[in-house]
Amino acid sequence: MTNANSFSREEIARPNSEQVVIFDTTLRDGEQSPGASMTFEEKLAVADLLDQMGVDIIEAGFPVTSEGDFEAVSAIAKRMKRAGVAGLARAASKDIDRCAEAVRHALHPRIHLFISTSPLHMKYKLQKEPEQVLEMIAASVARARNLVGDVEWSAEDGTRSEIDFLCRCVETAIKAGATTINIPDTVGYAVPDEYQSLFETVRARVPDSDKAIFSVHCHNDLGLAVANTLAGVKGGARQIECTINGLGERAGNAAMEEVVMALRVRGDALAYHTNIDATMLTRVSKLVSAVSSFPVQYNKAIVGRNAFAHESGIHQDGMLKNAQTYEIMTPDSVGVSKTSLVMGKHSGRHAFKEKLKELGYELGENALEDAFVRFKDLADRKKIVYDEDLIALVDDEIVNAHDRIKLVALTVIAGTKGPQSAALTLDFDGEQKTHQATGNGPVDAIFNAILALAPHNAVLELYQVHAVTKGTDAQAEVSVRLAEDGKSVTAKGADPDTLVASARAYIAALNKLMVKRGKSRPDVLTG
Ligand code: KIV
Ligand code: ZN
């Protein structure tokens, strides 16, 4: 432990610290979370921020799984200015060839191959004998290496694999040309000491293990993903696979913001560093939350809204005397900005643009103009426009910029005497349609009107409202999840009027559903 006198909340340049590669899989493992699917434009917006903040490798998708995934990986590969771009592939020729095609324009293209190596997965999932799996590893890595120079190989369910067999698999992959070896804790089963020694053992036993970089990939089923990640690094791994906000299959992956800040704040105990600009963590967390529609829990480490809040008298008193009493890092070190420009209805375009810059947004001319119009409208209805209001508004603008169904007008009659009714006008690719519907409450009436204008079979699985800021004039942020044919999409809508926010959220979810289904007629969502 550091003693109190040497304690510092600022970054310390540590001469002997080693660099760890950050491999972000928000757009692949993160997007695999049920309901977290992102549109093409949303993926590009997230990738741009990841690139800007210094992520070394962005896993942009699983190209063989759909045309949409292929297109997104390919566009991200062409666009990234610094980061390498990886695509996921199984040990099958069609996966590998498609992946190579998708990443080939990247500055640093990578194919990420995986196959299960645990007895359970080999027997039930793959229905293959261990010797067959070894042959598949050799053939798939060799094929991938013929197409790109950088090949990562992952032992799926690595932590439940037999150590002798795992070592043979790793040896085979390195011999065939793998440059990174990932040993995932696929089901979040490992505990830190065990995960650390797994890396130590494999690295010690496999010949030529120093020819590859070892990588950690931890799931959070027991809440140990970040602890296991750091233990794996202590065991010799030099690549960390993680996601923003810990998004990912089931309980998620190790959260990038937590790993990065643990290494930064506790560099005395963990002598490793990353290339990440930590001041962008808050910004990217908000964007990922907006596009995935997965809220960030209030008490989430680093990026939760309470992460730097102090309410008890004793804590507030301590903070006023010396902030180090209750803060181990400064809010600004993770990009929580102190407001310098206060926005209201008299603020002009220039102040608005500067404010967005302060919050980390650089919008193009058209998007800026649209956002400014919405800001003016909001400022007319709300005394104080908080940073959170602007973030909700701009994220909404970025996320929904390419929507084909848009809300034009909504009038609702609500109250104690039913039936409640909603008159709604929607724009479908430039053509406006209006419908009036009744319902069991105003939200039901709105959703019935949407259903009449855009018929669909999707089922409403979640409807949730929360206030963006304090005050009775706060904007409402509504989340809606729609499910159809075993697939689900989640979307958000924000507005000071909860009913308008509800309509926006439902319409945004329909737009996402349309992208997922590849529909060409926005007003015909059935079939
Ligand atoms: O969790 C896992 O095993 C994975 C692999 C595909 C790397 O996501
Ligand atoms: Zn995973």
Side-chain angles (χ1 to χ4, degrees):
M1 270 286 170
T2 324
N3 73 44
N5 293 336
S6 66
F7 173 80
S8 167
R9 296 190 305 160
E10 303 311 319
E11 188 182 14
I12 303 163
R14 293 171 204 273
N16 296 324
S17 111
E18 275 186 62
Q19 198 201 315
V20 181
V21 169
I22 292 292
F23 175 108
D24 180 277
T25 183
T26 307
L27 298 175
R28 198 278 297 168
D29 214 324
E31 213 227 357
Q32 278 172 223
S33 313
S37 64
M38 302 172 206
T39 64
F40 178 80
E41 288 79 16
E42 290 166 356
K43 287 182 185 177
L44 297 194
V46 172
D48 283 348
L49 278 195
L50 295 175
D51 193 30
Q52 277 172 41
M53 73 192 290
V55 166
D56 300 290
I57 313 273
I58 297 170
E59 185 165 52
F62 194 166
V64 82
T65 55
S66 71
E67 199 52 38
D69 251 50
F70 177 87
E71 293 302 336
V73 176
S74 167
I76 290 168
K78 287 179 190 149
R79 199 174 162 100
M80 295 302 100
K81 298 196 170 76
R82 300 200 306 209
V85 176
L88 189 66
R90 290 166 299 190
S93 305
K94 69 171 186 324
D95 280 45
I96 297 167
D97 297 353
R98 194 79 176 134
C99 185
E101 178 64 23
V103 296
R104 76 192 171 100
H105 293 294
L107 273 177
H108 313 284
R110 174 180 290 190
I111 295 178
H112 177 191
L113 291 167
F114 74 101
I115 191 165
S116 295
T117 55
S118 67
L120 202 69
H121 274 221
M122 288 190 290
K123 183 167 176 197
Y124 294 102
K125 185 182 137 179
L126 295 180
Q127 300 182 334
K128 300 255 182 250
E129 293 301 320
E131 293 307 315
Q132 289 175 290
V133 169
L134 282 167
E135 281 165 22
M136 289 169 79
I137 295 169
S140 59
V141 174
R143 187 178 187 101
R145 260 313 288 267
N146 264 334
L147 299 168
V148 300
D150 183 354
V151 173
E152 171 171 340
W153 177 79
S154 283
E156 192 184 5
D157 207 16
T159 49
R160 293 193 299 170
S161 302
E162 283 167 357
I163 189 72
D164 289 347
F165 182 66
L166 181 62
C167 286
R168 285 180 69 201
C169 291
V170 171
E171 183 178 348
T172 305
I174 293 177
K175 250 196 204 133
T179 41
T180 298
I181 297 291
N182 183 35
I183 308 182
D185 184 25
T186 303
V187 290
Y189 180 72
V191 293
D193 288 353
E194 184 184 87
Y195 199 51
Q196 176 175 345
S197 58
L198 176 64
F199 280 90
E200 287 164 352
T201 307
V202 175
R203 287 176 59 239
R205 282 178 46 180
V206 171
D208 288 333
S209 63
D210 57 341
K211 292 213 167 109
I213 290 182
F214 278 75
S215 168
V216 289
H217 177 115
C218 298
H219 281 269
N220 205 28
D221 301 65
L222 291 174
L224 292 171
V226 171
N228 284 335
T229 295
L230 299 175
V233 171
K234 280 172 105 176
R238 290 293 176 270
Q239 174 178 285
I240 292 174
E241 303 199 357
C242 50
T243 58
I244 301 296
N245 297 340
L247 209 61
E249 288 272 16
R250 304 180 312 280
N253 290 62
M256 188 211 286
E257 58 278 8
E258 295 178 22
V259 169
V260 165
M261 290 315 287
L263 294 181
R264 239 177 110 156
V265 173
R266 292 311 311 273
D268 58 324
L270 302 153
Y272 314 99
H273 64 270
T274 70
N275 267 336
I276 300 296
D277 173 358
T279 62
M280 291 184 69
L281 288 171
T282 300
R283 166 84 196 88
V284 73
S285 160
K286 286 186 170 22
L287 179 67
V288 168
S289 172
V291 300
S292 64
S293 304
F294 268 48
V296 174
Q297 78 192 53
Y298 289 175
N299 58 341
K300 165 86 178 58
I302 319 295
V303 292
R305 71 152 73 161
N306 286 359
F308 295 95
H310 306 274
E311 195 166 304
S312 90
I314 295 173
H315 286 211
Q316 285 181 345
D317 181 55
M319 284 295 294
L320 291 171
K321 288 175 176 147
N322 181 339
Q324 290 186 18
T325 51
Y326 288 104
E327 269 180 2
I328 60 166
M329 60 199 132
T330 57
D332 29 313
S333 68
V334 298
V336 177
S337 60
K338 283 189 207 70
T339 300
S340 53
L341 282 167
V342 178
M343 303 300 290
K345 68 178 186 184
H346 301 298
S347 308
R349 261 187 195 74
H350 186 214
F352 180 68
K353 192 173 172 182
E354 284 308 303
K355 180 70 192 180
L356 293 191
K357 234 195 219 160
E358 201 182 87
L359 295 172
Y361 294 93
E362 298 261 6
L363 300 186
E365 278 312 305
N366 291 345
L368 186 71
E369 192 49 39
D370 290 349
F372 183 67
V373 171
R374 277 188 69 180
F375 156 68
K376 278 296 198 188
D377 176 49
L378 184 65
D380 273 341
R381 296 152 78 189
K382 210 172 172 287
K383 247 192 247 134
I384 305 169
V385 179
Y386 295 100
D387 287 359
E388 288 86 345
D389 287 318
L390 289 175
I391 289 166
L393 185 152
V394 177
D395 282 343
D396 206 47
E397 202 57 46
I398 293 173
V399 169
N400 302 322
H402 300 271
D403 281 358
R404 298 180 60 195
I405 308 176
K406 292 194 171 86
L407 173 67
V408 178
L410 174 67
T411 309
V412 180
I413 299 175
T416 48
K417 234 180 171 187
Q420 289 74 20
S421 70
L424 177 73
T425 305
L426 297 181
D427 181 298
F428 297 88
D429 282 344
E431 191 192 335
Q432 294 195 358
K433 293 183 182 177
T434 301
H435 187 83
Q436 179 147 5
T438 55
N440 189 12
V443 174
D444 191 40
I446 294 168
F447 291 178
N448 285 341
I450 296 174
L451 181 64
L453 290 172
H456 56 273
N457 298 323
V459 176
L460 179 68
E461 276 196 334
L462 171 113
Y463 170 81
Q464 203 167 280
V465 186
H466 93 268
V468 173
T469 59
K470 56 193 176 205
T472 48
D473 65 348
Q475 282 199 91
E477 191 169 64
V478 174
S479 301
V480 159
R481 182 159 71 231
L482 296 178
E484 181 192 68
D485 299 337
K487 292 204 171 90
S488 57
V489 291
T490 316
K492 284 186 194 172
D495 197 275
D497 184 324
T498 310
L499 296 175
V500 176
S502 304
R504 282 193 197 287
Y506 199 107
I507 294 162
L510 281 183
N511 277 297
K512 277 198 165 182
L513 201 61
M514 206 160 48
V515 172
K516 208 161 191 163
R517 296 175 65 194
K519 281 275 169 196
S520 55
R521 290 262 324 265
D523 54 345
V524 186
L525 284 137
T526 42

